[in-house]
């Protein structure tokens, strides 16, 4: 089926690049977002997030008339839902955004349309989405009741792109296509083949949901192993970075890198979607989450020890006169995304508890979010290096990796990334 108009619901880190790539293939794309400010920025041909080269692609798509953003859904041939799926306080998945996106597109659906859930979702969410759509549109038939004869086709095709490499990975990665029926899958493949060069592999919706959760849980468990090793090595006075690079010389060993914890909206969240469905079975997955979630507190303890050591070496000083500089706030290197960032959590905790000055350096943002700007001071790298008594590397941004070691000679350094 030729898709003349494609609508992407949710213009964030996944939805906006996806919309822009469809538009770059000369499809009419309607981007929908509840955030009026984001809609206005996109309609000016600009972007409200940081992702390499995305600004150029969006600018071209908007000025050539292929991409338009709006807050109200409009009719289209295919709808891709790419809204957040956070968890609630008890780690239970929160499907509110999927529910409101489904209910917002329901009035404009017509026979023959395809609805794809791209958001990372707990097993069963696609069926739930189809149920919400069916409830809102009793005049249309859906796969859960009409199978291959349904008016509306529904599939789960999870996004799997790596922030920082989104435009390349969107095109090159293989895509898991989980249709609610084989015909749903075939239609979804014809949509993705507009730009996907990787393989489109068909499965059912539940397996596609679990596949995405499995990928991120696998990485979380791997990082937890590295983080646990770093705490063990600290006790045993062994350099964990050297240890891992030596162990990784074994042809069948590939240990990931320790850090200050695991952040982002994906790896720190998705494993809980497995744990919440199968708490008795998902023991290792839960423990990995707990190990990674405990790492920021471990780093904060290291900072307290460093402050005590600094005061011991400089008995004329009080804690109020000790300046701490935190390098990096984003959840990983070379991006601006502060969501679920362990670096941000550590910097916040330090600035709340340390009586002296806390400086933060984050080259990928211009201003601190309003709720943080009263607590900490955003500084340039040079100024922070000049003023700090204690320097903490929290994110291995490229700007920090190249800092000359001579700057560290007169200060306590805590390197959570092994880059200094
Ligand atoms: N991290 C470590 N050590 C490592 C690797 C990562 O501490 O060796 C930390 C990072 O610093 C960061 C967190 O883990 O805080 C997550 O970073 P990441 O680069 O592993 O992953 P994300 O969250 O940016 O993207 C992941 C990817 N999933 C996998 O690699 C299996 C991506 O492909 C997914 O599309 C994305 O989640 C998503 O949207 O789900």
């Amino acid at each position: 089926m030729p898709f003349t108009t494609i609508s992407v619901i949710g213009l964030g880190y996944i939805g906006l690049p996806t919309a822009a790539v469809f538009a770059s293939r000369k499809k009419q794309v309607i981007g929908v977002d509840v955030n009026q400010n984001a809609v206005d920025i996109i309609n000016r041909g600009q972007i409200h997030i940081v992702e390499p080269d995305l600004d150029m692609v969006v600018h071209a798509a908007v000025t050539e008339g292929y991409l338009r953003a709006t807050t109200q859904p409009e009719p289209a041939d295919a709808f891709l839902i790419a809204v957040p799926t956070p968890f609630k306080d008890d780690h239970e998945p929160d499907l509110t955004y999927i529910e409101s996106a489904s209910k917002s597109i329901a009035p404009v659906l017509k026979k023959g349309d395809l609805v794809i859930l791209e958001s990372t979702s707990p097993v069963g969410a696609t069926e739930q989405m189809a149920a919400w759509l069916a409830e809102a549109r009793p005049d249309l038939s859906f796969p859960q009741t009409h199978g291959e004869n349904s008016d509306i086709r529904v599939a789960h095709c999870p996004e799997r792109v790596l922030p920082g490499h989104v435009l390349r990975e969107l095109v090159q990665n293989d895509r898991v296509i989980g249709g609610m029926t084989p015909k749903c899958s075939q239609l979804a493949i014809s949509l993705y083949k507009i730009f996907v060069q990787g393989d489109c592999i068909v499965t059912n919706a539940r397996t596609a949901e679990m596949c995405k959760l499995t990928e991120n849980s696998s990485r979380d468990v791997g990082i937890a192993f590295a983080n646990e090793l770093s705490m063990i090595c600290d006790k045993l006075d062994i350099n964990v970075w050297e240890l891992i690079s030596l162990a990784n010389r074994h042809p069948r060993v590939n240990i990931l890198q320790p850090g200050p914890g695991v952040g982002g909206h994906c790896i720190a969240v998705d494993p809980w979607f497995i744990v919440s469905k199968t708490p008795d079975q998902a023991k290792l997955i839960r423990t990995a989450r707990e190990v990674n979630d405990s790492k920021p507190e471990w780093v904060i303890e290291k900072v307290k020890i460093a402050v005590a050591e600094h005061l011991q070496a400089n008995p004329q000083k009080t804690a109020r006169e000790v300046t701490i500089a935190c390098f990096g706030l984003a959840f990983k290197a070379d991006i601006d995304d502060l969501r679920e960032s362990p670096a941000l959590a550590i910097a916040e905790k330090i600035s709340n508890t340390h009586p002296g000055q806390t400086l933060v350096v984050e080259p990928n943002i211009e201003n601190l979010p309003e709720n943080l700007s009263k607590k900490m001071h955003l500084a340039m790298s040079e100024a922070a290096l000049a003023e700090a008594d204690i320097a903490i590397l929290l994110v291995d941004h490229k700007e920090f990796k190249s800092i000359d070691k001579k700057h560290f000679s007169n200060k306590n350094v805590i390197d959570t990334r092994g880059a200094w």
Side-chain angles (χ1 to χ4, degrees), residues 305-316:
I305 293 168
V307 172
E309 282 173 0
H310 184 83
L311 289 174
Q312 211 168 22
N314 300 275
Q316 78 286 2

Side-chain angles (χ1 to χ4, degrees), residues 14 120 159-164 169 173 212 214-220 222-223 226-227 255-268 270 292 330-333 335 340-342 394-396 417:
I14 301 302
T120 304
E159 61 78 16
R160 309 156 97 188
V161 289
L162 194 67
E169 290 209 352
N173 286 5
K212 171 62 196 261
T214 300
E215 292 159 11
N216 280 353
S217 298
S218 156
R219 196 154 166 86
D220 197 43
I223 299 167
N227 276 333
I255 302 168
L256 294 174
Q257 298 301 305
V262 167
H265 181 65
C266 311
I267 296 190
D270 303 354
N292 287 333
F331 85 83
K332 67 176 189 172
I335 59 166
E340 318 281 338
S341 171
L394 294 171
V395 188
D396 46 344
R417 296 279 181 177

Side-chain angles (χ1 to χ4, degrees), residues 18 62 109 111 128 177 252 294 313 352 369 371:
T18 305
V62 172
L109 284 182
K111 188 173 166 47
Q128 174 64 73
I177 309 284
R252 285 173 297 285
S294 71
N352 281 338
N371 58 328

